[in-house]
Amino acid sequence: MSQLFERVARPKATMETPGAFLGGLRVMAIDGTVLDVPDSQNNALVFGYPSSRPGTRAAFPKVRLVMLIEAGTHLIVDGNDSVLTALVNGYERKNCCAQFYKGCC
């Protein structure tokens, strides 16, 4: 699935697409969301649980997604499921988000 996404996920707007360009530059947005995944040992190891009150645990592990979106078409053109985790664990923001900037402009 990821290989298919990498092959087809590209900005598709033209200069005539309403809201797609401003001053000759493509308008992009960064957005994020959190999704529940089934509660299994593997998912818990890979994605982890969100923080909760002391002595409790969230019901499901969470996938934290950050997406680069073309504003004029609302197409997701890039994404990362580890950016938020990496930022929390102390990695530099510029290294984690570098893939979002390649080929956008």
Side-chain angles (χ1 to χ4, degrees), residues 26-31 67-71 75 77:
R26 187 180 304 273
V27 179
M28 305 297 283
I30 296 176
D31 197 5
M67 300 162 283
L68 180 66
I69 301 164
E70 183 179 48
L75 291 174
V77 297

Side-chain angles (χ1 to χ4, degrees), residues 52-70:
S52 59
R53 293 179 314 175
T56 65
R57 186 188 78 173
F60 298 98
K62 307 287 186 186
V63 175
R64 293 157 186 87
L65 300 173
V66 176
M67 300 162 283
L68 180 66
I69 301 164
E70 183 179 48

